[in-house]
Amino acid sequence: MRVLSGIKPTGKLTLGNYIGALKNFAKYQNENEVFIFIADLHALTLPIDPEELRNNIKLITAFYLAAGLDPEKVTIFKQSDVSAHAELNCILQNYLYMGELNRMTQFKEKSQTMDNNAIGLGLFTYPVLMASDILLYEANKVPVGEDQVQHVEITRDLVNRFNNRYGKILVMPEPEIAKVGKRIMSLSEPTKKMSKSENDKGDIFLIDDLSVIRKKIMSAVTDSGSEIKVDIENKPGITNLLTIYAALKDISLEAAELEFKDARYGDFKKAVAETVINIIGPFQERARKVIESGEVDRVLNEGAIKAAKVANITLHKVQKAVGLK
Ligand code: ATP
Ligand code: LTN
């Protein structure tokens, strides 16, 4: 099986990114052919400072390695280093339509507060580039958080449309969503997704000091009542903390619920905070070491060469199918 995923280097990565995406990547690496990349071209779809972008790219690469990805087994690369992404994007943009792109939740959410004259085309055509990312590597599985599933679904529509017209050229991908933690919520507003570009006090950033992480969890919004149970409607805060705990311990939500059946909110929060800190602390330490070692550039350079070999084969197939070659 081929597995592919990526993260956009915008803003500071959150615990949501860790649980919904990062933490799941390494488990594929022993039995599959895995491609994990940094979606730097996608980062340009909203205004970003160049120096910040450069730093984010480095940091995410370090996070990939700190999360256990082994560059001997996994191809780790930067999207813009492999020009086939832009080339395939240019072809595939003709097979997705304005109406369907207009219905994408991410586009609606990101553009709704923007002035119409300031919405870049790239934000609108984001799913075309994402489809190109996935299809170039003939990925069968695409592990993502819940918010990205719609983009994988539109990629599937594109595959059907393209293959109906040209024959069996593109490989059908499938989204893979974490059983627990596909959508981690803000600690201060548990009905909102924890998101790296929103920056509020309810987001736990992977580079936060451990003392800050503890403070954020201890002051997480809960609800009146004293029961610790899963109830998204009436107890979104408690449900979110249970989800974080279960995801990090790799247990089911039911098992987490059972563990805290008779606990008080304060003790429960303390246990969640310790769990997060015991995982994120060593993770930060490993990332720091990677950055100091200068390994990042080497990994990305070697990754780009390996990725380009695979990507160019698919690009060539598509060029031939449509009549460019
Ligand atoms: P932005 O706020 O810049 O849109 P984001 O925090 O949503 O960023 P992405 O770069 O869009 O992050 O996502 C990277 C990966 O992390 C994707 O697979 C996404 O589904 C996953 N992810 C992001 N936020 C969460 C969350 N709160 N819970 C679970 N998974 C998440
Ligand atoms: N849109 C994703 C990043 C991304 C991606 C991909 C994920 C770009 N291309 C291909 C999986 C497969 C995000 O992190 N928001």
Side-chain angles (χ1 to χ4, degrees):
M1 286 274 186
R2 287 252 176 98
V3 178
L4 170 131
S5 196
I7 298 182
K8 234 174 353 174
T10 48
K12 298 183 283 186
L13 260 64
T14 68
L15 187 65
N17 297 127
Y18 181 82
I19 291 176
L22 257 184
K23 134 182 190 300
N24 310 311
F25 295 164
K27 65 178 180 228
Y28 293 97
Q29 68 189 351
N30 292 322
E31 271 134 48
N32 303 275
E33 208 179 331
V34 183
F35 296 84
I36 301 292
F37 71 103
I38 296 149
D40 57 345
L41 291 171
H42 276 117
L44 296 176
T45 55
L46 286 171
I48 183 163
D49 173 71
E51 205 42 45
E52 193 191 327
L53 178 55
R54 264 187 285 274
N55 279 331
N56 289 346
I57 291 169
K58 206 182 249 179
L59 201 56
I60 294 192
T61 312
F63 282 165
Y64 282 161
L65 299 176
L69 289 182
D70 175 354
E72 298 294 320
K73 298 180 184 156
V74 177
T75 304
I76 302 172
F77 66 102
K78 192 169 78 159
Q79 186 186 31
S80 69
D81 279 341
V82 180
S83 62
H85 290 251
E87 292 179 74
L88 188 62
N89 177 66
C90 196
I91 298 174
L92 294 186
Q93 64 183 342
N94 302 299
Y95 304 89
L96 281 176
Y97 305 138
M98 306 270 289
E100 25 187 30
L101 293 180
N102 226 344
R103 285 195 291 275
M104 293 291 107
T105 309
Q106 178 177 292
F107 175 71
K108 286 198 267 191
E109 278 175 7
K110 303 253 175 204
S111 62
Q112 74 183 3
T113 52
M114 294 169 75
D115 176 348
N116 241 345
N117 293 317
I119 302 172
L121 283 180
L123 188 65
F124 186 64
T125 60
Y126 188 111
V128 184
L129 182 58
M130 183 152 161
S132 309
D133 302 334
I134 295 169
L135 299 173
L136 277 175
Y137 300 90
E138 307 197 315
N140 311 97
K141 294 186 199 168
V142 183
V144 284
E146 193 173 49
D147 59 314
Q148 293 301 313
V149 171
Q150 199 182 32
H151 291 155
V152 184
E153 295 294 345
I154 202 175
T155 304
R156 291 171 59 85
D157 294 342
L158 189 152
V159 169
N160 278 329
R161 192 170 294 156
F162 192 93
N163 285 355
N164 273 337
R165 181 144 165 206
Y166 299 105
K168 213 170 172 309
I169 306 288
L170 300 172
V171 171
M172 187 62 83
E174 235 177 277
E176 285 245 311
I177 314 155
K179 268 198 211 79
V180 182
K182 60 185 187 225
R183 190 172 167 87
I184 299 297
M185 310 308 268
S186 155
L187 298 184
S188 56
E189 276 183 75
T191 50
K192 258 183 48 193
K193 189 187 97 160
M194 187 182 284
S195 165
K196 65 172 133 72
S197 57
E198 301 267 317
N199 272 357
D200 75 76
K201 60 181 191 320
D203 297 335
I204 294 183
F205 297 111
L206 297 181
I207 54 167
D208 274 347
D209 277 345
L210 299 181
S211 60
V212 172
I213 295 183
R214 181 175 285 112
K215 222 180 264 164
K216 285 179 177 172
I217 295 175
M218 292 311 290
S219 50
V221 167
T222 46
D223 29 64
S224 51
S226 57
E227 246 187 309
I228 296 173
K229 62 168 189 186
V230 177
D231 179 348
I232 296 182
E233 282 281 296
N234 304 308
K235 290 179 165 275
I238 290 289
T239 304
N240 192 36
L241 290 173
L242 276 169
T243 306
I244 291 173
Y245 183 84
L248 292 178
K249 290 265 180 179
D250 252 325
I251 57 174
S252 68
L253 262 179
E254 294 73 28
E257 209 175 16
L258 201 62
E259 228 178 278
F260 295 104
K261 197 164 59 72
D262 301 316
R264 285 188 308 217
Y265 278 6
D267 294 330
F268 168 54
K269 282 180 167 177
K270 243 187 239 159
V272 177
E274 283 320 307
T275 304
V276 174
I277 284 168
N278 284 339
I279 289 178
I280 299 305
F283 171 80
Q284 290 179 342
E285 197 46 46
R286 288 194 295 276
R288 199 169 298 132
K289 284 203 182 115
V290 171
I291 289 182
E292 281 165 12
S293 73
E295 224 179 319
V296 166
D297 288 341
R298 185 181 57 78
V299 166
L300 291 183
N301 288 337
E302 289 175 7
I305 295 170
K306 282 199 273 176
K309 278 199 187 126
V310 177
N312 285 333
I313 295 173
T314 311
L315 177 64
H316 191 258
K317 272 192 221 167
V318 172
Q319 288 169 330
K320 248 181 103 175
V322 301
L324 294 173
K325 281 217 158 68

